[in-house]
Amino acid sequence: MKRYRPHILVVIALAVVLSTGWHGALRNALTDLRFAWQSRSATGSVVVVAIDAPSIDQIGVWPWPRSLHADLLHRLEAAGAQDIAFDIDFSTPSDPASDDAFLTALRKVGGSTILPSFKQPTPNGGAVHINRPLKPFSRQSWPAVVNVAVEPDGLVRRYPVGEKLGDAQMPSMAVVLAGQNVDRRPPFLIDFSIRAGSIPVVSYVDVLRADAAALDKLRDKKVIVGATAFELGDRFSVPNGRIIAGPVLQALAAESVLQNRMLRWTSDVGMIVGLAVICLLMMYSWRRVAPGARVAILVAAGASIELTAVLVQQRWPLIIDTSLFHIAIIAYLAAIALDEIDFRSLLGRIAESRFHRIAMSLGDGLVCTDEHHRITVWNPGASAIFGYMPTEIIGHPFETLCAIPAEAGAKGFAIRDAARQALLVPGGAVVVEFEGRRKNGETFPVEASFSGWQGTDGFQYGAILRDISVRKREAERVRYLAEYDALTGLANRNTLHAGLVGLIAAAERRSSEVALLVLGLDGFQQINDMLGHAAGDLVLRAVAERLRTEVDGKALVARLSGDEFAIALDCATVFEPVAAFAERIVRAFDAPLATGTRQHRVRISMGVAVYPDGGQNADDLLSNAHLALTKAKLTRRGGHVIFESAIRQELESRLTLESELALAADRGEFELFYQPQVRLIDGSLVGAEALIRWRHPMRGYVSPGEFMPVVNTSALSERIAGWVMETAVRQARGWELSGNAVRVAINLSPSQLHSGDLAHSVAELLRTTGLTPSLLEIEVTEDVLLHDEVRVLDMFKRIQQLGVRILFDDFGTGYASLSYLKKFPLDGLKIDRSFVIDLLADSDDAAIVGSTIGLSKQLGLTVVAEGIENRATADFLVGMGCEEGQGYFFGRPMSADAFEKTFLAAELEAVSAA
């Protein structure tokens, strides 16, 4: 049996190949290679009239009217073409005129035209649909099938002689074009050694244009008209990696017929005989001839049979299938190689070499021991971890690598225990951790994977060792980052949430309270903008340290995000009311924060929520404390607000109002009213203050005092302020063009200064409208001037250089109004109505107003008094030296139309104060 084992191996290999059909791929590959080695030219009898890219560019998008095909037929007939085949679908009607023109052309050429029929699968997998030319066309032409079969590898190799469509046998296009008889022969193999590039191709558009060179190529030729343009998609993959158009494939098939190259496979008898000869030859020579000679015989036999196949295929339309013969030769070569190798010895050497390479190149430590746990193998990875060289450690017990327990009575690591576990675990490996000891005495955590096996020298153990000290530190670092803020070292939001849950659970058992304080830094963004984020980080660290100091370990301090912090405390452990504790934290920031060489004064606002009234769980407390903080920032900056249910309702109302205001801006519901400003000495009109009004579709006009505080603290501020300025300037320009030079005053919003270059915006608006700059007056209040004084000062100077006036509005109501008169370039000021309304009755108000007017005259500033409601007040102000005023006595705010009718009548009549 051993004698015949190689031959049995070959027979099995052939049987497997035959049963799986693998030899078909080799057969096709060999045939394709022979096509590549050979090269034939086309006869030139078949010409392709190509619907190519130039034709589509010049004629237009496909499909074309059939009247063009009719013109083409006339041109082809005139050029002397013999037979004309269209590889184009004519199964559906187009416009009647084009169909009639094409039918007329078919009749004229006298039946020498071939039109295609083809099978087409339906999309839902039903019965195959047969597309035939329209009956009027069929009566005047020859029918032909154009279907080709695509093989499993995606290539087209075979071409049908004919095919049954319905009840009739129909010839293929190439066979009809070549003038062959139609019979029931099987499909033939196209000879792809005929070069596709040698087939003459003429552009469709050149034939239509009657190009002489193109028409000359068509005389006495068989013509195939079809699509070659890439975008039309009529393309097929053929052997040797080529892709050709459908008409070219039909032309190659026709050339194969014309050149008598309708290739067919030879009988399998010759292959069986060849296989039998090679098998008998190998059986005879197996033990009689040296292996090298047998290899030479096999290689020579393979080369001979392949050369014979190439010559036969080149001379006759026959293809010899040599695939099984080559497979048998390969199988015998493998059998010779296997017969000459000592596999057991080879596998042993391979395993030993592989183990050695793996052990020496392994980055981890690899240690093997004998059955007494003495080290027998020590790789470089182990040396790098423990510091011992192989000569220093081999032969020593494994316990040399283990640290001695620091605590008396503690049990150290024993390899015997790990080895015993490895034997009990399925798969024979167990992973443990122990304290290792380096050569220098340093201890560190080690992860070891132990396994055991029966060797030739007894039972042996192996361990893969890893130094996991870095991994342990990284795990601690990841845990820290998951629970604490990396910048300040405070607890993060997750840790705060978990702490709140625990505090609430304890408070619920004791029926006590839990307070959550959420703090926000006022103006922190300006520190980042002016000094940079590095300075901002120092401030945040200083805030965190001060909070730690103030709570003194009695509460959990956390950083939530950005400049927001939180304090969670059990009220039972703090011996002061929550309000007093919150106020103490706020007051703690009255003292400046030291950050290196710089000191910062930071003011905080605080929202407080107290369990159970302020929230039943941690999420509610966080949400409600944030709401209280929002309320504090809106109404009590630098203070604290304790959450009440009314706050949520108030903020929800504010959100609703913000949403309505956004819709109002989109729908154009805002209007500008104008209140007159007059010269007090004679009551003549000098200007008007533009005041915004909201015309609500349901509530009518809404008071500015109701919605402007929301606008000024929302994202809508800049948009609405820009609209006010543009609308007022355009209105002033309209009055100016009508001959009424009315100075219009506009209230400046803080957002206009902080969001962009206001001076540039004003200059651009004056340029586009053409308004005289002196007719524009900008009124600013103290809150506009509070921050970034250097930038505001530069902005005001540039605005004044344009010729625009700047007035200080609500003078006397702020904290530092007099200092602003000195710092900022102003053209005038407006005395707040709170000082004017009781001017006649309150001597203090009179003294303040008189002093303000006198100071303004010394500084060269214009004075405008607000809130004048009667003649006596106006006269009193005139006596004090006040030049201008406004108030209900002269006119209420009114629409532009009403203002024009009242104050801007023809000749601009002076307003009579009487």
Side-chain angles (χ1 to χ4, degrees):
M1 185 67 181
K2 185 176 180 181
R3 177 182 176 184
Y4 296 104
R5 188 164 54 192
H7 314 291
I8 295 173
L9 174 64
V10 172
V11 172
I12 292 173
L14 290 172
V16 170
V17 168
L18 281 170
S19 63
T20 57
W22 291 344
H23 68 295
L26 178 60
R27 178 185 64 188
N28 289 335
L30 290 170
T31 305
D32 296 346
L33 281 174
R34 294 170 200 157
F35 286 144
W37 294 335
Q38 301 167 2
S39 179
R40 299 175 186 273
S41 297
T43 62
S45 300
V46 181
V47 180
V48 173
V49 174
I51 301 172
D52 51 11
S55 300
I56 293 176
D57 289 341
Q58 295 186 40
I59 296 175
V61 178
W62 181 264
W64 299 331
R66 286 179 181 154
S67 57
L68 290 179
H69 302 326
D71 293 343
L72 183 77
L73 273 175
H74 293 311
R75 297 289 186 191
L76 292 174
E77 182 189 24
Q82 287 185 355
D83 297 311
I84 304 166
F86 279 89
D87 191 6
I88 299 172
D89 185 9
F90 290 96
S91 61
T92 56
S94 64
D95 63 282
S98 292
D99 286 350
D100 291 342
F102 186 65
L103 183 60
T104 302
L106 288 174
R107 291 193 186 104
K108 186 175 180 181
V109 298
S112 62
T113 306
I114 304 168
L115 296 184
S117 298
F118 55 93
K119 295 180 180 178
Q120 185 175 4
T122 54
N124 57 5
V128 174
H129 178 68
I130 299 174
N131 285 353
R132 303 176 188 271
L134 296 173
K135 287 186 177 180
F137 298 162
S138 297
R139 296 190 188 100
Q140 305 298 327
S141 61
W142 292 95
V145 177
V146 293
N147 287 104
V148 291
V150 179
E151 299 193 2
D153 60 359
L155 304 182
V156 174
R157 292 187 176 88
R158 293 175 173 79
Y159 189 85
V161 174
E163 193 167 351
K164 189 173 183 179
L165 294 184
D167 297 330
Q169 185 76 13
M170 188 175 294
S172 61
M173 179 173 284
V175 171
V176 175
L177 202 62
Q180 295 292 313
N181 293 328
V182 181
D183 52 24
R184 296 183 178 274
R185 286 180 293 171
F188 62 88
L189 293 168
I190 300 173
D191 187 358
F192 286 105
S193 66
I194 302 173
R195 297 192 309 277
S198 64
I199 295 175
V201 178
V202 176
S203 181
Y204 190 104
V205 71
D206 288 343
V207 177
L208 282 184
R209 292 186 308 195
D211 182 79
L215 296 177
D216 188 57
K217 293 181 181 180
L218 301 172
R219 190 172 306 280
D220 298 326
K221 298 294 192 295
K222 302 176 184 297
V223 176
I224 300 177
V225 182
T228 63
F230 182 81
E231 56 266 33
L232 297 184
D234 187 15
R235 309 186 78 79
F236 296 92
S237 296
V238 298
N240 298 318
R242 293 181 297 162
I243 298 175
I244 61 176
V248 177
L249 180 66
Q250 298 290 342
L252 281 176
E255 284 286 349
S256 297
V257 177
L258 290 171
Q259 296 188 36
N260 194 26
R261 297 294 298 169
M262 301 169 68
L263 302 178
R264 303 189 184 281
W265 299 104
T266 58
S267 171
D268 294 335
V269 175
M271 179 58 61
I272 295 172
V273 172
L275 288 174
V277 169
I278 198 70
C279 286
L280 292 173
L281 183 61
M282 286 295 105
M283 290 176 67
Y284 175 78
S285 63
W286 198 260
R287 297 301 175 193
R288 297 179 176 85
V289 179
R294 278 179 277 155
V295 170
I297 293 171
L298 290 171
V299 171
S304 300
I305 192 66
E306 190 58 34
L307 180 60
T308 302
V310 170
L311 294 174
V312 168
Q313 185 171 324
Q314 185 175 13
R315 185 173 181 83
W316 295 285
L318 296 174
I319 298 177
I320 300 177
D321 182 5
T322 60
S323 58
L324 290 178
F325 194 84
H326 289 301
I327 291 171
I329 290 174
I330 293 170
Y332 268 119
L333 290 173
I336 291 172
L338 294 174
D339 195 47
E340 294 300 314
I341 295 174
D342 182 355
F343 273 102
R344 180 168 296 180
S345 174
L346 176 63
L347 291 175
R349 290 196 301 273
I350 290 173
E352 182 180 351
S353 174
R354 180 176 296 173
F355 174 78
H356 181 76
R357 286 198 306 271
I358 292 173
M360 294 303 108
S361 63
L362 196 64
D364 295 327
L366 178 63
V367 178
C368 296
T369 71
D370 58 17
E371 58 186 344
H372 301 296
H373 309 301
R374 290 189 296 268
I375 297 173
T376 58
V377 175
W378 182 265
N379 79 333
S383 295
I385 294 173
F386 290 93
Y388 293 101
M389 291 294 101
T391 54
E392 298 176 294
I393 196 67
I394 289 178
H396 288 72
F398 185 88
E399 279 75 10
T400 306
L401 307 176
C402 303
I404 299 173
E407 299 179 4
K411 184 180 179 182
F413 175 78
I415 188 174
R416 292 173 177 81
D417 297 335
R420 191 178 300 113
Q421 292 180 43
L423 296 176
L424 297 175
V425 172
V430 63
V431 178
V432 299
E433 290 186 16
F434 66 91
E435 279 294 308
R437 184 180 63 192
R438 306 189 205 275
K439 181 180 178 181
N440 62 8
E442 177 189 354
T443 61
F444 64 100
V446 179
E447 181 185 78
S449 176
F450 286 97
S451 58
W453 64 91
Q454 182 64 48
T456 55
D457 299 327
F459 205 83
Q460 299 176 20
Y461 299 95
I464 295 177
L465 308 175
R466 296 184 182 91
D467 179 352
I468 59 172
S469 53
V470 174
R471 192 171 79 189
K472 289 276 190 180
R473 287 195 297 270
E474 287 299 320
E476 281 297 313
R477 175 67 177 165
V478 170
R479 187 192 66 79
Y480 178 83
L481 292 176
E483 298 177 358
Y484 294 92
D485 176 53
L487 178 64
T488 62
L490 298 177
N492 62 12
R493 181 181 289 271
N494 295 333
T495 305
L496 173 69
H497 190 279
L500 275 175
V501 171
L503 288 174
I504 291 172
E508 188 176 10
R509 292 192 297 270
R510 296 195 306 265
S511 298
S512 61
E513 293 181 333
V514 174
L516 175 65
L517 293 70
V518 176
L519 302 76
L521 307 186
D522 297 335
F524 176 72
Q525 186 59 43
Q526 292 180 350
I527 296 176
N528 274 340
D529 294 342
M530 296 172 62
L531 303 178
H533 287 275
D537 290 346
L538 292 175
V539 170
L540 292 174
R541 291 194 185 101
V543 170
E545 187 57 37
R546 184 157 296 181
L547 291 176
R548 285 195 194 94
T549 303
E550 290 299 319
V551 303
D552 194 22
K554 297 176 182 177
L556 174 62
V557 183
R559 181 185 177 208
L560 298 180
S561 63
D563 62 346
E564 283 192 359
F565 296 81
I567 300 174
L569 70 152
D570 186 344
C571 296
T573 63
V574 180
F575 301 104
E576 59 182 324
V578 172
F581 180 84
E583 191 62 26
R584 178 165 63 82
I585 298 297
V586 171
R587 296 283 75 81
F589 287 88
D590 289 343
L593 297 170
T595 58
T597 60
R598 186 183 291 271
Q599 288 191 336
H600 299 274
R601 287 193 176 274
V602 176
R603 188 171 65 170
I604 68 169
S605 299
M606 180 187 297
V608 183
V610 181
Y611 168 85
D613 294 338
Q616 294 294 316
N617 54 50
D619 291 327
D620 289 347
L621 282 180
L622 278 166
S623 174
N624 294 337
H626 272 100
L627 287 176
L629 174 61
T630 303
K631 174 70 173 178
K633 287 187 174 183
L634 291 173
T635 61
R636 293 196 59 191
R637 281 189 176 269
H640 75 276
V641 171
I642 298 178
F643 175 79
E644 299 173 347
S645 58
I647 292 177
R648 181 178 292 277
Q649 296 171 0
E650 178 183 342
L651 293 176
E652 286 177 353
S653 298
R654 176 186 171 87
L655 288 174
T656 301
L657 183 56
E658 283 188 14
S659 177
E660 289 184 346
L661 287 169
L663 287 175
D666 293 337
R667 295 191 294 234
E669 295 176 1
F670 293 115
E671 294 181 8
L672 283 189
F673 275 26
Y674 299 87
Q675 186 173 23
Q677 295 177 337
V678 302
R679 185 176 291 106
L680 294 179
I681 193 69
D682 58 6
S684 61
L685 181 73
V686 294
E689 181 178 5
L691 300 168
I692 191 170
R693 294 293 185 267
W694 179 14
R695 189 183 68 257
H696 194 281
M698 303 296 293
R699 297 157 55 190
Y701 282 106
V702 181
S703 169
E706 185 177 340
F707 69 87
M708 282 308 295
V710 175
V711 169
N712 289 333
T713 56
S714 72
L716 291 170
S717 177
E718 183 182 356
R719 176 184 176 187
I720 293 177
W723 174 85
V724 168
M725 178 173 285
E726 182 177 353
T727 304
V729 169
R730 293 190 181 280
Q731 182 63 68
R733 177 57 176 163
W735 287 335
E736 183 182 14
L737 291 174
S738 66
N740 300 298
V742 180
R743 186 184 68 209
V744 175
I746 302 167
N747 291 291
L748 188 67
S749 168
S751 62
Q752 290 175 283
L753 271 178
H754 301 148
S755 62
D757 190 344
L758 177 63
H760 175 74
S761 300
V762 172
E764 188 65 21
L765 189 56
L766 291 174
R767 186 189 64 80
T768 55
T769 60
L771 178 68
T772 301
S774 60
L775 295 181
L776 176 61
E777 189 173 85
I778 294 177
E779 298 181 359
V780 298
T781 53
E782 186 178 16
D783 59 341
V784 174
L785 310 175
L786 279 174
H787 305 292
D788 200 356
E789 291 182 354
V790 176
R791 181 170 178 271
V792 173
L793 179 61
D794 175 70
M795 196 83 71
F796 282 0
K797 286 181 178 178
R798 291 166 56 200
I799 291 174
Q800 279 190 325
Q801 290 171 1
L802 297 172
V804 177
R805 288 166 48 84
I806 300 177
L807 267 67
F808 192 173
D809 195 11
D810 298 339
F811 182 79
T813 60
Y815 294 101
S817 298
L818 291 177
S819 66
Y820 290 146
L821 295 181
K822 178 181 177 181
K823 289 180 183 178
F824 293 97
L826 300 170
D827 295 291
L829 57 83
K830 297 183 73 173
I831 300 175
D832 189 70
R833 70 184 309 274
S834 61
F835 299 105
V836 176
I837 196 75
D838 294 324
L839 182 64
L840 299 176
D842 192 324
S843 59
D844 291 339
D845 286 347
I848 292 172
V849 171
S851 299
T852 302
I853 294 172
L855 177 62
S856 299
K857 286 183 175 295
Q858 293 180 14
L859 296 175
L861 303 178
T862 302
V863 179
V864 181
E866 297 181 304
I868 301 174
E869 297 189 356
N870 53 63
R871 161 64 71 184
T873 302
D875 291 342
F876 193 77
L877 287 167
V878 171
M880 287 183 169
C882 183
E883 301 167 354
E884 299 178 8
Q886 70 183 79
Y888 287 174
F889 178 64
F890 304 107
R892 293 176 176 271
M894 60 191 73
S895 67
D897 291 340
F899 188 88
E900 290 174 2
K901 293 175 182 178
T902 306
F903 297 101
L904 302 182
E907 305 300 329
L908 190 63
E909 297 178 359
V911 177
S912 175

